[in-house]
Amino acid sequence: LLWVVVSVPVFTFGVSTTAMLITAEKSIRQSSGRIWATFWRYFFSEFRQATVLWLLAIIFLLALILNIFLVYNSNVSSVMKILLILVAVGFLCWIHMWFGYLSKFQDKTRTILHNTLIITLSNIYKCFLLCVLSAFAGLGSVVLFFSSLPFLLLLPGVYIILASSLLRWILKEYKPSIATEDV
C-alpha cells in the first residue's frame, strides 16, 4: 500500500520501487520487521539517483514508443518490425534491472547503466522472466481493479516478493555474499 501511494506522482515511481525492493529484502528476508521506517529511510537516501534513472527510463520509453509507432505505420518489412519488438523487450528487461541493481549496490549512475546492461545481456532469460512477472502484475492490477478491489492492495506485495527473489537469483553471481550479507 505504501508503494502504491508513494508511486502516485509518476516521477517517484523509480525511487519507491527501489525503496520497496530494499524494504522487502530487509523486512522479509532478514526479519527486521520495520517496514515503515526502512521504506522511508531508503526512499530518501536513494531519491536522487533512482529519480534520475526513472526520468531517463521515461525518456527512453517515450522514444521507443515513438519508434514503434513510426515503424508500424510505415512500409517496413516484417523482419524490421520483429527486430524492433525484440529490442523493446530487451530494453524493458534492462530497465527492470536498473532499480533491482540500485537496491543491492551503490554505484554511480553511469556504472549502474553499464553493469546492468552486461547483467541483462548475460541473463536475458532470467530478466525476461522478470518482465513477464511485471506484465502479469500489471494485467492482474487491471483485472483486480474491476473485479475485487481489496485483493488489488495485496498484488504489489506479492509482486515485490517474487521480483525480489528473481533479482536475488540474477544478482547473486555478481555478489556471492548477497545471500547472507546485509545489503
Side-chain angles (χ1 to χ4, degrees):
L1 181 60
L2 185 59
W3 173 78
V4 171
V5 171
V6 174
S7 294
V8 169
V10 175
F11 78 93
T12 60
F13 180 80
V15 68
S16 63
T17 300
T18 302
M20 186 170 69
L21 286 166
I22 296 169
T23 302
E25 184 70 31
K26 291 194 176 293
S27 298
I28 296 168
R29 299 219 189 309
Q30 298 172 6
S31 301
S32 79
R34 301 185 57 197
I35 293 172
W36 183 266
T38 303
F39 181 88
W40 287 113
R41 176 177 164 211
Y42 288 100
F43 180 87
F44 290 116
S45 70
E46 301 295 337
F47 186 84
R48 186 189 63 75
Q49 193 168 31
T51 302
V52 167
L53 285 170
W54 177 241
L55 294 176
L56 187 62
I58 290 172
I59 292 167
F60 283 160
L61 288 171
L62 290 174
L64 190 61
I65 290 168
L66 178 64
N67 279 324
I68 290 172
F69 177 77
L70 292 174
V71 166
Y72 274 85
N73 288 318
S74 66
N75 292 332
V76 177
S77 71
S78 296
V79 173
M80 285 300 292
K81 291 177 182 179
I82 291 170
L83 284 174
L84 183 62
I85 294 296
L86 290 175
V87 167
V89 168
F91 183 73
L92 290 173
C93 292
W94 185 35
I95 288 176
H96 274 80
M97 286 307 303
W98 293 358
F99 303 103
Y101 184 94
L102 184 58
S103 74
K104 304 274 188 228
F105 303 99
Q106 295 296 314
D107 276 324
K108 295 180 179 180
T109 302
R110 179 181 290 203
T111 304
I112 291 172
L113 295 174
H114 176 264
N115 289 349
T116 55
L117 180 60
I118 293 168
I119 291 169
T120 302
L121 292 174
S122 61
N123 294 281
I124 194 66
Y125 297 112
K126 294 175 188 175
C127 294
F128 180 72
L129 188 58
L130 187 61
C131 284
V132 168
L133 177 64
S134 296
F136 277 121
L139 181 62
S141 296
V142 172
V143 169
L144 289 174
F145 180 78
F146 291 108
S147 63
S148 180
L149 202 53
F151 286 111
L152 179 62
L153 297 176
L154 298 175
L155 187 61
V158 172
Y159 166 75
I160 203 60
I161 290 169
L162 294 174
S164 178
S165 296
L166 276 171
L167 286 164
R168 177 182 272 283
W169 182 38
I170 294 167
L171 296 173
K172 73 179 178 186
E173 67 185 80
Y174 301 98
K175 188 174 183 183
S177 61
I178 205 167
T180 58
E181 183 181 308
D182 182 11
V183 274

